[in-house]
Amino acid sequence: DYHERCVQCSEVNWGVTDGGRFYCRTCHNVIERTREVVNTDVISNTRVQTISKGLRKQEKTDEGWEWYVCEGFQFVLKKQAEALEALGACPQMKDEILCNFWRRYLQKSQQAYCNRPAGEAIKVLSGCDSSTDVDSEPERPSLLHLLSFSESDGDLLTDCSFGSSTGKVSESTSVCSGSVDGSLHLMKNQKDKLRMSMPMTLSFCYMALLWLREPMTLSDLLRFVVEGHIPYLNVFQCFPEKMKLYGLDLKIFCVESWPVYEEVFNKMLQLAAFLELPRFPDITDICFLHPDMLCMKYLMEANLPDELHNWTCRVVKKIHIGETDFLTFAPGNKSTRKVKYDVLAAAVIVVVLKLLFLLDDHYEWLLSDVAEERNKNNKEDGPYFEFKKWYKVIKSSLDVEQKKLDEEKAKYLWRCEKPLFYSAKKKSKVLKRRQIVVNLQNQFGKLSGSVQPAEKPNPSSFQLNWSEENTNGSCFHGHSLKGILQEKCGLLTAMNPDYWLCTVKLCTEKLCGHLAHYRELDFPQSYHFVLRLFSFLLRIQPSYIHEEVCVIEHKLFNKKLYKKPKYNPGRRK
């Protein structure tokens, strides 16, 4: 008597299980619908009706489990940690580092590992009248235990009694959100409690990576998120089916924008201070996050000569930004400036390019013409570096990659693939409607001849790859800088005696929040092109790199910028 099509295979070929539930004989999909089973074998002329077991229980638990917002975030962190371990992060990250950070956050925010407060969380549960539910299901285990980072974790002592929930969801829960405290989470506006959010999950991950000194910068982490290697966008569709998500929960877990570097970094600083973490392990010269290491990586990716690494090392040593005390993250020390390791390394390379080529839209082209003439007459030594030729090769590749990235972002479907349904009654309708949409999309795609989206590429630390084996001369790693250097007092120095500062004075306005400002029209096009190249590699705004360039310049030319008046012994103070 049931003629609806199966949502999986669209066939009408139904059978009935021993429990009385319908299943598709074609694809073996079991649905929620049940039927009455007529049994006339025992007593004649007597009709016995048996209902499948669990039907009454299923109707009562139609709204799903009672769950809390922190349980949802713990599930997200667990998935992100597993993805990072799959990318090569240390196995200790999930169960030892990130899990301890998360426990400390739950305790500091009084959500778990603390005595039950007499305030807000208990008021949310007061609307649940479990005394009238006689046939309620047995107590379910805490989701915080089920979704814990390791199997050996014990039960959590939470302030909301996660383990004592009943099968019937409270009225206050079902009205505005699937979670118990969704509305309360959004209402929190307390300065002493740092409210959890989806960008903060990435802050947790980066903080754990930084503690372990993993070879992954924040820009790498956010790029892997955008490429889909780390769960972030629509991660809630991986939640267990009983964790119903709707209403205010969508504002908490549904993300409709790409993660922003500055937001994730600032949240990490706030989080480390909120947790009162000690000084992180030292960043030494053998760590990947050291400027000398990162400069080598970015020089290779930017297709610049290897000889430039000697100059970046000299700048790092000159202004003391390679020292352990400067690089090591100390949350309790408010006087020190927190380091963005990837931005710092990119800024050092920009300063070196300005020292050697000036980047004033004139001098670099003059040097390039001289190098081109020498390369024509030079048949024995390696080729001299030509800035003009490098500019053309990089600009061509950069334009292609930037266009591809913009198209991928424009085509991204923010709606999750897994449809959201809030009750078993609506499940079949929602799945059927979703299946119709998918079928129509496939049919129109075949008619229009659109290319199916390719599988996401394997994760890589390099976005632009250059090989010295290329015969077209597009790799500049082995090119020489002899054409722009001269020997002076036993040291190689730049032939260029001049240098222009991005800004004479750093901004000291506290409300501004930035030490320097950037407008493309105020600077040479060569300088802007170099900023654009590294902003693409780091997936950040050029203004962030420009600000770090200004800070490095003021450290490098500090004595010339701030000359002290000569002391006159004959003058009284």
Side-chain angles (χ1 to χ4, degrees):
D1 300 331
Y2 186 60
H3 302 289
E4 296 290 337
R5 292 185 178 273
C6 175
V7 296
Q8 297 291 341
C9 63
S10 301
E11 295 290 334
V12 182
N13 186 15
W14 298 105
V16 181
T17 65
D18 294 337
R21 299 180 67 179
F22 280 61
Y23 76 96
C24 179
R25 291 193 181 97
T26 304
C27 65
H28 305 287
N29 174 38
V30 181
I31 63 174
E32 301 292 336
R33 184 181 178 89
T34 59
R35 67 167 295 178
E36 296 179 355
V37 179
V38 180
N39 190 344
T40 58
D41 295 337
V42 181
I43 304 174
S44 61
N45 299 326
T46 304
R47 187 182 181 186
V48 180
Q49 294 180 348
T50 60
I51 309 298
S52 64
K53 294 181 180 180
L55 179 59
R56 181 187 302 274
K57 177 178 174 182
Q58 181 64 34
E59 290 177 351
K60 285 192 167 187
T61 60
D62 193 25
E63 298 290 344
W65 276 332
E66 283 188 357
W67 61 281
Y68 292 79
V69 171
C70 63
E71 293 179 297
F73 280 118
Q74 177 162 312
F75 187 86
V76 174
L77 285 172
K78 180 174 180 289
K79 290 294 183 181
Q80 292 175 345
E82 291 173 350
L84 287 170
E85 287 187 357
L87 290 174
C90 178
Q92 300 175 348
M93 176 188 168
K94 184 180 73 169
D95 294 330
E96 295 185 19
I97 308 301
L98 187 58
C99 186
N100 286 330
F101 285 162
W102 177 242
R103 285 172 172 170
R104 191 172 181 86
Y105 171 79
L106 292 177
Q107 186 180 33
K108 283 283 186 179
S109 58
Q110 297 183 356
Q111 299 181 64
Y113 302 102
C114 62
N115 296 326
R116 180 188 297 181
E120 50 211 33
I122 300 177
K123 295 179 181 179
V124 176
L125 293 178
S126 62
C128 179
D129 185 12
S130 59
S131 61
T132 59
D133 187 12
V134 179
D135 297 329
S136 61
E137 65 175 343
E139 294 181 358
R140 73 168 177 90
S142 167
L143 270 179
L144 277 173
H145 175 60
L146 291 176
L147 306 180
S148 59
F149 289 2
S150 64
E151 298 296 334
S152 60
D153 285 344
D155 293 334
L156 301 183
L157 299 176
T158 61
D159 62 342
C160 299
S161 299
F162 292 104
S164 61
S165 60
T166 60
K168 184 178 180 180
V169 181
S170 63
E171 296 178 2
S172 60
T173 303
S174 60
V175 170
C176 56
S177 65
S179 61
V180 173
D181 57 342
S183 59
L184 181 65
H185 180 82
L186 293 175
M187 288 170 54
K188 285 181 181 178
N189 190 20
Q190 297 156 340
K191 295 181 179 180
D192 57 336
K193 291 183 180 180
L194 195 60
R195 187 173 70 180
M196 191 65 187
S197 63
M198 283 300 294
M200 243 173 77
T201 61
L202 301 179
S203 300
F204 265 103
C205 292
Y206 177 61
M207 192 164 61
L209 292 171
L210 184 57
W211 183 276
L212 292 170
R213 295 173 291 186
E214 287 287 330
M216 184 182 297
T217 62
L218 180 55
S219 58
D220 291 332
L221 176 67
L222 300 186
R223 179 167 57 86
F224 290 147
V225 168
V226 174
E227 293 176 355
H229 302 296
I230 298 176
Y232 181 75
L233 304 173
N234 297 328
V235 68
F236 58 83
Q237 64 184 350
C238 300
F239 282 9
E241 187 175 346
K242 285 293 185 179
M243 290 180 65
K244 301 298 181 182
L245 193 84
Y246 59 94
L248 296 177
D249 299 329
L250 297 176
K251 292 185 177 181
I252 301 172
F253 293 100
C254 185
V255 180
E256 294 187 351
S257 61
W258 305 103
V260 180
Y261 186 103
E262 198 74 10
E263 180 183 5
V264 176
F265 182 80
N266 291 334
K267 285 288 184 183
M268 189 273 293
L269 300 181
Q270 298 175 21
L271 185 60
F274 176 73
L275 301 181
E276 298 179 350
L277 296 179
R279 177 187 167 107
F280 278 46
D282 292 344
I283 304 295
T284 60
D285 55 357
I286 61 174
C287 295
F288 176 81
L289 297 177
H290 193 276
D292 291 345
M293 294 287 189
L294 285 176
C295 283
M296 186 185 302
K297 173 183 181 294
Y298 293 139
L299 285 172
M300 293 176 60
E301 196 164 10
N303 198 14
L304 288 166
D306 299 331
E307 293 182 15
L308 284 176
H309 187 246
N310 296 328
W311 285 83
T312 58
C313 292
R314 289 172 64 176
V315 171
V316 168
K317 186 177 180 180
K318 177 73 174 178
I319 59 179
H320 309 291
I321 60 174
E323 297 179 356
T324 302
D325 291 338
F326 175 81
L327 294 173
T328 303
F329 180 42
N333 191 351
K334 297 181 179 180
S335 60
T336 58
R337 187 168 179 261
K338 304 305 182 285
V339 181
K340 302 172 184 174
Y341 302 97
D342 40 10
V343 180
L344 177 66
V348 170
I349 296 176
V350 175
V351 171
V352 169
L353 291 177
K354 287 182 64 179
L355 284 169
L356 299 181
F357 299 96
L358 199 59
L359 301 183
D360 64 345
D361 289 343
H362 175 70
Y363 186 74
E364 63 271 20
W365 308 122
L366 181 62
L367 288 177
S368 183
D369 293 337
V370 174
E372 184 179 3
E373 290 296 327
R374 291 185 176 181
N375 284 332
K376 291 179 180 179
N377 302 324
N378 181 23
K379 303 297 182 181
E380 299 179 357
D381 298 333
Y384 289 179
F385 177 70
E386 299 179 32
F387 187 89
K388 184 186 298 183
K389 187 176 180 180
W390 172 84
Y391 172 85
K392 292 179 180 179
V393 171
I394 294 296
K395 188 177 187 305
S396 176
S397 299
L398 185 60
D399 290 342
V400 172
E401 294 296 328
Q402 186 67 57
K403 182 180 179 181
K404 187 187 303 182
L405 178 62
D406 294 340
E407 289 179 353
E408 290 177 356
K409 287 186 175 182
K411 292 178 181 179
Y412 186 81
L413 297 177
W414 294 100
R415 179 175 294 182
C416 62
E417 297 179 0
K418 179 181 177 181
L420 299 175
F421 49 87
Y422 314 124
S423 66
K425 296 179 181 179
K426 297 181 180 179
K427 180 178 179 180
S428 60
K429 293 182 179 180
V430 173
L431 291 177
K432 182 179 179 180
R433 195 175 300 168
R434 178 63 180 171
Q435 187 64 37
I436 292 174
V437 171
V438 173
N439 291 338
L440 288 174
Q441 287 177 343
N442 292 335
Q443 292 175 9
F444 280 112
K446 292 178 181 179
L447 292 173
S448 61
S450 60
V451 181
Q452 294 294 330
E455 296 181 0
K456 57 184 179 183
N458 295 327
S460 174
S461 298
F462 291 89
Q463 302 175 69
L464 302 176
N465 295 313
W466 311 95
S467 175
E468 296 184 8
E469 299 176 356
N470 293 345
T471 57
N472 56 2
S474 61
C475 181
F476 296 88
H477 291 159
H479 287 213
S480 174
L481 298 177
K482 291 181 180 179
I484 59 173
L485 299 179
Q486 60 181 358
E487 188 173 351
K488 188 177 181 180
C489 300
L491 290 175
L492 288 176
T493 60
M495 294 177 60
N496 167 38
D498 301 324
Y499 191 91
W500 59 271
L501 293 172
C502 293
T503 180
V504 178
K505 186 177 181 182
L506 298 177
C507 182
T508 57
E509 291 289 338
K510 293 184 178 180
L511 297 177
C512 172
H514 296 281
L515 296 174
H517 302 275
Y518 178 73
R519 287 181 59 204
E520 180 182 351
L521 298 176
D522 297 337
F523 297 92
Q525 286 300 309
S526 297
Y527 175 73
H528 172 70
F529 174 77
V530 173
L531 288 187
R532 181 190 162 210
L533 169 61
F534 286 104
S535 67
F536 171 79
L537 296 178
L538 304 185
R539 304 291 177 89
I540 59 176
Q541 296 295 327
S543 58
Y544 296 154
I545 303 176
H546 171 76
E547 181 179 355
E548 198 66 40
V549 168
C550 295
V551 174
I552 292 175
E553 288 178 344
H554 277 253
K555 289 181 179 180
L556 192 60
F557 301 104
N558 180 56
K559 293 182 179 179
K560 294 183 179 180
L561 283 172
Y562 306 102
K563 288 184 178 180
K564 295 182 180 180
K566 294 182 179 180
Y567 175 67
N568 187 359
R571 182 180 177 184
R572 296 182 61 184
K573 293 184 179 179

